[in-house]
Amino acid sequence: MDASCISYKDTGFFSHTVAEYIDNKPELQSFYGYRPDMAGFAEFLKNKKVVADREVLVRVLTKQYECLESVSRKAGKSEGSYGTTPSLPERVGVRLNLELLKQDNTYTITTGHQLNIFAGPLYFLYKIATAIKLAQQLKTAHPDKNFVPVYWMASEDHDFAEINYTNIGGKKVHWWYEASGATGRIDPVSMRQALNQYKGVLGMEGHATDLAGIVETAYTKFDKLADATRYLVNSLFGQYGLVIIDADDHEFKKEFAPIMEQDIIGQHSFKNITETNHKLHELGVHIQVNPREINFFYLKDQLRERIVFEDASYQVLNTGIKFTEAELKKEIAEYPERFSPNVVMRPLYQECILPNIAYIGGGAEVVYWLELKSNFDHYKIDFPILILRNSALVIKKEQASKIERMSLDAIDLFKESDALQTYWIKKHSGHNLSIAEEWREMESLFEKIKLRAYKIDPTLSPSAAAVQARLKKAMDNLERKLIRAEKRNYSVRLEQLTAVKAELFPKESLQERSENFGLMYVKWGQTFIDELIRLFEPLDFKFTVLTEK
């Protein structure tokens, strides 16, 4: 593939705050730690204080990967492959990185996402590819240190409706199931209909059989969605040493228990983040998340409900469960896994159990992390460097040929459909469809008219201006009619343009926010993943257009 880059600003799909963070706006600097560049990483590495228990981390991760070992053995694969293919790079990659995590000079580069079935939209993969590429680049810059890419599974999230479908090839594949509690604990046994539908869209050509085998194993050989997702993601990225973590674990939560207790009782995160949000709001930042007084859920199988403080006790909503303060402390000490951080406390939990130096997220994630630094400071936990994940548009060869025949550039495609058609018509029409020059002449005449009216009677000047405004509106309407008439003359070409635009920007949105990777894997196989990692440049902060050669 060939790669070209576009400024995020020029795409029109990213917020002002994201652009200002990338551009190092001074007003935002107090809301994060180090800059997302090589100089920032060099400085952070001098000062980074790791609080994670590396022994616990490696022990738990090794145990979590045993489920992959078991499936590989049953399938007759070589032991230790940690994936569908017992290739040496994969075995060495994950195993080596697990061993490296024991060492004090090893750090993680983390991204996180929900457990979307079939890996959800493309940006799921883009996050992970960004983490892998950044880890590689940091190793090159700091050969005396090690950097491990990590995918943090949002296994405790309970919003099943956000993960139970994917869009592929114009079809919506849906997992019809009534779920409750943490999604990572759901048994995917009821996915057969969705699985068959997804495999049907993949077809039989190219690498379809390979991907069909991966998803079939993922969703039929494991009894937890978290393990199924681990298998799927490991099959795609295991050879690059990606470590996949499920933080829904007793030992991990035990590390975090002191902060759990302090925050639930003292409501520190609520106070800290609320104050920060006021400051960000004054800067014109759109607030992504608002904290609650208590930012933890109570978690059991098929149960994840908010904890609230009411009537002098800690109560679990929609249940009869409640605790006195003493009982709450005892419950946290004995069963820390029953306490699940919400969106504003999960990042702190992550940084407590990983030796992490960077978090990779989408635009909205980067902005909501800006809300959190004061809470990190309160608990004396280092705030990671925030990296905007790579974004991409994938253009197949036949689509690229159509775009070239229409004399368009990639940046043109980011215009809204109607604006794109108007741009193309003005560029290719043999007629001058703009009456801007004529309007400038009329404006000059109106200035004379308004001056004459003012000399006769100063109160007539606003009347003349009103006539000018009405005429401007009429002229604009006339120009639109000229363009519409010319569009009819080019209807066939515009239909072709509209079709290409719809393929690449489903529902006027970015391809990566809707389309699943499946058909791209069918076409290119593992090479597609390899190319993402090869061509992404995490610290350039540009939108990447990937065009098939």
Side-chain angles (χ1 to χ4, degrees), residues 399-440:
Q399 295 168 329
S401 297
K402 292 177 184 177
I403 294 166
E404 185 177 1
R405 287 198 298 270
M406 293 176 187
S407 301
L408 290 171
D409 296 320
I411 185 63
D412 299 327
L413 299 171
F414 287 82
K415 296 179 172 67
E416 292 184 358
S417 291
D418 189 60
L420 177 59
Q421 290 185 11
T422 299
Y423 170 81
W424 190 90
I425 284 292
K426 287 183 175 180
K427 186 176 180 180
H428 292 87
S429 174
H431 304 286
N432 183 1
L433 302 177
S434 172
I435 54 178
E437 184 61 35
E438 289 80 0
W439 176 248
R440 280 192 291 272

Side-chain angles (χ1 to χ4, degrees), residues 291-456:
R292 297 186 181 276
E293 287 83 356
I294 295 176
N295 292 295
F296 287 86
F297 294 90
Y298 192 71
L299 179 65
K300 285 187 174 182
D301 287 341
Q302 300 183 329
L303 172 70
R304 189 176 188 247
E305 293 285 352
R306 284 176 50 214
I307 301 170
V308 297
F309 185 71
E310 292 179 354
D311 301 325
S313 66
Y314 295 91
Q315 303 183 21
V316 179
L317 290 180
N318 302 314
T319 73
I321 302 171
K322 61 181 179 179
F323 306 96
T324 64
E325 183 174 312
E327 290 169 339
L328 177 73
K329 290 179 178 179
K330 185 173 184 292
E331 186 80 357
I332 292 174
E334 295 181 359
Y335 306 103
E337 69 276 11
R338 294 180 180 175
F339 294 83
S340 175
N342 73 359
V343 67
V344 302
M345 286 300 288
R346 185 206 60 77
L348 190 68
Y349 176 36
Q350 169 187 296
E351 300 303 309
C352 285
I353 67 172
L354 290 174
N356 196 51
I357 59 169
Y359 182 76
I360 293 164
E365 284 181 285
V366 169
V367 175
Y368 103 70
W369 272 77
L370 295 178
E371 302 175 20
L372 309 179
K373 184 175 182 297
S374 62
N375 202 44
F376 275 73
D377 293 343
H378 175 86
Y379 288 108
K380 296 180 172 55
I381 302 296
D382 285 339
F383 193 74
I385 294 177
L386 302 180
I387 304 293
L388 179 66
R389 66 167 174 81
N390 282 100
S391 287
L393 172 66
V394 179
I395 302 177
K396 297 177 184 177
K397 189 181 296 184
E398 56 270 26
Q399 295 168 329
S401 297
K402 292 177 184 177
I403 294 166
E404 185 177 1
R405 287 198 298 270
M406 293 176 187
S407 301
L408 290 171
D409 296 320
I411 185 63
D412 299 327
L413 299 171
F414 287 82
K415 296 179 172 67
E416 292 184 358
S417 291
D418 189 60
L420 177 59
Q421 290 185 11
T422 299
Y423 170 81
W424 190 90
I425 284 292
K426 287 183 175 180
K427 186 176 180 180
H428 292 87
S429 174
H431 304 286
N432 183 1
L433 302 177
S434 172
I435 54 178
E437 184 61 35
E438 289 80 0
W439 176 248
R440 280 192 291 272
E441 293 175 5
M442 295 181 72
E443 278 187 311
S444 178
L445 287 174
F446 262 99
E447 290 304 315
K448 295 177 181 178
I449 293 171
K450 285 189 285 188
L451 179 60
R452 184 184 301 177
Y454 181 82
K455 288 179 178 179
I456 296 171

Side-chain angles (χ1 to χ4, degrees), residues 259-276:
I259 290 180
M260 288 183 189
E261 179 184 307
Q262 291 177 54
D263 207 76
I264 293 174
I265 294 172
Q267 300 186 2
H268 303 299
S269 59
F270 173 70
K271 298 166 188 172
N272 295 327
I273 298 170
T274 298
E275 183 179 350
T276 297

Side-chain angles (χ1 to χ4, degrees), residues 5 9 18 57 70 72 86 208 222 257 300 354 432 466:
C5 295
K9 288 180 183 177
V18 168
L57 176 63
S70 175
S72 294
F222 300 91
K300 285 187 174 182
L354 290 174
N432 183 1

Side-chain angles (χ1 to χ4, degrees), residues 76-92:
K77 304 291 179 66
S78 66
E79 187 171 341
S81 69
Y82 285 168
T84 58
T85 306
S87 60
L88 180 62
E90 186 174 326
R91 290 202 300 271
V92 171

Side-chain angles (χ1 to χ4, degrees), residues 18-209:
V18 168
E20 289 168 349
Y21 174 69
I22 292 171
D23 292 341
N24 198 16
K25 182 180 179 180
E27 289 82 356
L28 290 178
Q29 290 174 0
S30 64
F31 299 99
Y32 57 90
Y34 298 88
R35 286 297 297 160
D37 53 34
M38 281 299 178
F41 277 107
E43 190 66 23
F44 191 19
L45 287 168
K46 293 177 184 176
N47 303 310
K48 171 66 180 176
K49 295 181 179 62
V50 175
V51 299
D53 187 323
R54 292 178 182 272
E55 183 179 338
V56 169
L57 176 63
V58 174
R59 181 171 65 247
V60 174
L61 285 172
T62 301
K63 184 177 180 181
Q64 290 182 353
Y65 270 88
E66 287 177 359
C67 66
L68 301 194
E69 292 273 7
S70 175
V71 167
S72 294
R73 284 195 294 271
K74 290 177 182 177
K77 304 291 179 66
S78 66
E79 187 171 341
S81 69
Y82 285 168
T84 58
T85 306
S87 60
L88 180 62
E90 186 174 326
R91 290 202 300 271
V92 171
V94 178
R95 281 193 177 279
L96 175 61
N97 280 345
L98 289 177
E99 287 298 314
L100 289 176
L101 283 171
K102 298 176 183 178
Q103 301 177 13
D104 290 340
N105 65 338
T106 299
Y107 304 92
T108 57
I109 308 298
T110 303
T111 191
H113 201 69
Q114 295 163 295
L115 308 182
N116 298 69
I117 62 170
F118 308 113
L122 277 162
Y123 71 79
F124 186 143
L125 272 63
Y126 296 170
K127 282 182 166 184
I128 295 172
T130 305
I132 291 169
K133 183 62 172 285
L134 181 57
Q136 293 175 349
Q137 292 177 329
L138 286 168
K139 179 61 177 177
T140 300
H142 303 276
D144 60 322
K145 296 176 175 61
N146 305 303
F147 302 92
V148 175
V150 171
Y151 163 48
W152 176 289
M153 294 192 290
S155 56
E156 294 179 46
D157 189 275
H158 63 267
D159 200 338
F160 184 67
E162 291 187 359
I163 69 164
N164 69 348
Y165 69 93
T166 197
N167 296 299
I168 178 171
K171 295 181 172 60
K172 185 174 183 177
V173 177
H174 206 122
W175 178 10
W176 297 106
Y177 178 69
E178 291 294 326
S180 59
T183 54
R185 300 184 182 186
I186 298 172
D187 190 333
V189 65
S190 60
M191 273 190 66
R192 174 46 63 188
Q193 181 181 356
L195 188 55
N196 288 346
Q197 187 181 359
Y198 185 81
K199 290 163 65 177
V201 177
L202 295 181
M204 298 297 293
E205 297 182 358
H207 300 272
T209 303

